Amino acid sequence: MMNNKGTLLSARHLERTFDKGKFVAVHDVSFDIRPGEVFALVGPNGAGKTTTVRMCSTLLTPTGGELTIGGVDAIRHPFQARSGLGLALGGDLGFYPRASALDNLLFFADVAGVPGSRRRGEVDQALERVGLADRSTSKVGEFSRGMKQRLHIARALLGKPGLLLLDEPTSGLDPEASLSVRDLIATLAAEGRGILLTSHAMDEVEELATTIAVIGAGSIVVSGQVRDIADYAGIRATTTATLPARAADIRDILIESVRTLGDARIRPKGANWALTVHWRSNPDAGVAQLLTVLRHSGFDRPLDLLTHPASLEDAYLAISEGLQR
Ligand SMILES: Nc1ncnc2c1ncn2[C@@H]1O[C@H](COP(=O)(O)OP(=O)(O)OP(=O)(O)O)[C@@H](O)[C@H]1O
């Protein structure tokens, strides 16, 4: 069955071409989003993330495949489907800069079809949700990037949709502003909303996503949990350590010594060198070998040597070259 009960969004074999079919931006993309789920799309610039989000928002009509939102066929009935979703494309555009946050949202609540009697209440609630209640009368043009990003999310919340589409919601934000948006996304999902998220911040995706899909050249190459992406990348664990400057002399020896077990990289890190080894299987033997080589070369055990299960960033970087168009 295509649309399981409770599924907020179901995409099947979505396709979008441009230039009269000559350029395939998105090909054969399928996924589901259920309440409480955060489905994250990651991939290099131009991979097709925004095109997918725009199709899911009904702003862009797919040239192939099926899309169901809240049980509604979103290709045949885009207007009806739209009431079930909130879209935040982010960035500086999308608001009237000389109007207040409150007036902007009142306008967009009207556009979203929120009845007049409920409009003010919903707008106040949305501003409160994103932490902008005390700035509601300020002009949007005076807002920082982080505040605008939160206002985009407030706008997406109008009409109380069950599904939120968030395209790079933390792009260009400073670490603190980014953290506050991440917390907001986690809370919105925990309350039962389904979220489609795109992001280039792998730590953010690892923190928020219940399912991650890696998209390259318009198609999903692998999806699942971090572990699934790491398996696809052929990485089990990662060891990191800081080595003193003179380690440059044994760079090639170190890389060669673990070659059968993993891929080692040594890069400058301030006045020192950062060693990173991605292990293809259980790291124990490799770490022991690494320590032996370091000891033989006159290096004591590095103080900050750490081995951890492969992160999304480790896995992503290992496959990123193959994702380019
Ligand atoms: N309206 C359009 N006309 C022609 N080509 C387009 C159009 N919209 C997108 N594309 C192309 O489709 C491809 C996918 O673009 P998209 O914006 O979806 O990528 P993305 O994964 O979101 O990238 P980024 O990480 O840079 O935001 C790109 O090659 C882009 O140039």
Side-chain angles (χ1 to χ4, degrees):
M1 205 167 96
M2 220 200 82
N3 186 39
N4 298 323
K5 199 168 181 295
T7 303
L8 295 167
L9 180 145
S10 176
R12 288 291 172 275
H13 314 293
L14 276 189
E15 183 179 278
R16 176 67 207 203
T17 59
F18 292 109
D19 294 337
K20 299 194 173 90
K22 277 185 267 169
F23 181 78
V24 183
V26 170
H27 174 69
D28 198 17
V29 163
S30 300
F31 58 92
D32 290 324
I33 303 179
R34 293 175 198 82
E37 286 183 347
V38 179
F39 182 87
L41 272 176
V42 303
N45 292 133
K49 302 178 297 295
T50 300
T51 304
T52 303
V53 171
R54 293 183 70 220
M55 283 193 281
C56 291
S57 74
T58 77
L59 280 182
L60 187 68
T61 309
T63 46
E66 295 164 55
L67 179 67
T68 311
I69 295 170
V72 176
D73 180 333
I75 298 175
R76 283 194 173 179
H77 308 291
F79 288 105
Q80 202 185 328
R82 208 169 291 171
S83 64
L85 67 89
L87 169 69
L89 285 175
D92 282 337
L93 303 173
F95 294 108
Y96 296 97
R98 275 176 288 193
S100 68
L102 177 67
D103 286 341
N104 266 282
L105 289 196
L106 283 170
F107 170 74
F108 288 114
D110 190 12
V111 173
V114 179
S117 58
R118 292 216 312 263
R119 218 169 282 158
R120 180 63 198 254
E122 257 205 48
V123 165
D124 284 344
Q125 214 180 342
L127 285 167
E128 184 76 46
R129 281 315 309 273
V130 303
L132 287 174
D134 58 340
R135 298 299 302 272
S136 63
T137 55
S138 303
K139 286 184 181 140
V140 173
E142 294 162 7
F143 275 16
S144 70
R145 211 161 168 169
M147 290 163 76
K148 277 188 195 145
Q149 210 57 265
R150 282 187 278 149
L151 194 61
H152 275 288
I153 296 177
R155 178 181 162 180
L157 290 170
L158 298 171
K160 299 192 190 307
L163 176 71
L164 297 176
L165 312 179
L166 309 177
D167 196 19
E168 298 192 35
T170 59
S171 150
L173 301 193
D174 69 42
E176 205 187 340
S178 167
L179 214 55
S180 98
V181 170
R182 286 183 198 197
D183 284 345
L184 176 60
I185 295 170
T187 308
L188 294 170
E191 289 169 356
R193 291 178 191 83
I195 294 177
L196 172 60
L197 171 76
T198 74
S199 177
H200 288 289
M202 297 300 148
D203 57 336
E204 167 181 307
V205 169
E206 187 160 351
E207 180 186 311
L208 293 173
T210 46
T211 305
I212 302 153
V214 181
I215 184 165
S219 301
I220 293 179
V221 294
V222 55
S223 69
Q225 317 291 304
V226 173
R227 187 141 186 185
D228 300 308
I229 317 294
D231 280 350
Y232 178 86
I235 296 178
R236 175 74 72 85
T238 301
T239 294
T240 55
T242 308
L243 301 174
R246 61 196 170 85
D249 299 342
I250 60 155
R251 191 178 168 150
D252 293 343
I253 297 170
L254 267 181
I255 293 171
E256 198 50 44
S257 69
V258 298
R259 196 180 291 285
T260 57
L261 302 169
D263 294 313
R265 285 181 209 164
I266 302 178
R267 290 211 182 85
K269 180 185 177 187
N272 301 313
W273 291 86
L275 168 71
T276 307
V277 192
H278 296 310
W279 305 106
R280 286 186 283 276
S281 56
N282 187 315
D284 295 349
V287 172
Q289 193 159 323
L290 196 66
L291 288 173
T292 307
V293 173
L294 285 172
R295 220 173 21 247
H296 279 286
S297 309
F299 295 94
D300 293 332
R301 184 194 166 100
L303 282 180
D304 63 350
L305 184 126
L306 270 178
T307 299
H308 56 81
S311 67
L312 180 62
E313 179 149 350
D314 296 334
Y316 180 81
L317 287 175
I319 56 178
S320 60
E321 222 173 275
L323 299 174
Q324 304 296 331
R325 280 190 193 269

mmCIF file of all heavy atoms in Angstrom, residues 137 178 214 247 256:
data_model
loop_
_atom_site.group_PDB
_atom_site.id
_atom_site.type_symbol
_atom_site.label_atom_id
_atom_site.label_comp_id
_atom_site.label_asym_id
_atom_site.label_seq_id
_atom_site.Cartn_x
_atom_site.Cartn_y
_atom_site.Cartn_z
ATOM 1 N N THR A 137 7.085 43.202 17.556
ATOM 2 C CA THR A 137 6.780 44.479 16.899
ATOM 3 C C THR A 137 7.996 45.064 16.173
ATOM 4 O O THR A 137 7.900 46.125 15.566
ATOM 5 C CB THR A 137 6.239 45.501 17.927
ATOM 6 O OG1 THR A 137 7.190 45.608 18.991
ATOM 7 C CG2 THR A 137 4.893 45.058 18.489
ATOM 8 N N SER A 178 22.583 28.531 15.872
ATOM 9 C CA SER A 178 22.372 27.225 15.261
ATOM 10 C C SER A 178 21.846 26.229 16.294
ATOM 11 O O SER A 178 20.914 25.461 16.039
ATOM 12 C CB SER A 178 23.697 26.753 14.667
ATOM 13 O OG SER A 178 23.639 25.412 14.337
ATOM 14 N N VAL A 214 21.457 9.838 1.850
ATOM 15 C CA VAL A 214 22.544 10.525 1.160
ATOM 16 C C VAL A 214 22.184 10.582 -0.313
ATOM 17 O O VAL A 214 21.933 9.549 -0.940
ATOM 18 C CB VAL A 214 23.893 9.792 1.345
ATOM 19 C CG1 VAL A 214 25.004 10.547 0.624
ATOM 20 C CG2 VAL A 214 24.220 9.629 2.826
ATOM 21 N N ALA A 247 56.241 14.662 13.611
ATOM 22 C CA ALA A 247 55.581 13.474 13.066
ATOM 23 C C ALA A 247 55.510 13.526 11.546
ATOM 24 O O ALA A 247 55.292 12.503 10.893
ATOM 25 C CB ALA A 247 54.179 13.332 13.643
ATOM 26 N N GLU A 256 51.246 3.892 5.601
ATOM 27 C CA GLU A 256 51.515 2.575 5.023
ATOM 28 C C GLU A 256 51.275 1.458 6.036
ATOM 29 O O GLU A 256 50.748 0.392 5.694
ATOM 30 C CB GLU A 256 52.970 2.554 4.511
ATOM 31 C CG GLU A 256 53.288 1.453 3.537
ATOM 32 C CD GLU A 256 52.300 1.342 2.377
ATOM 33 O OE1 GLU A 256 51.936 2.394 1.818
ATOM 34 O OE2 GLU A 256 51.880 0.209 2.061
#
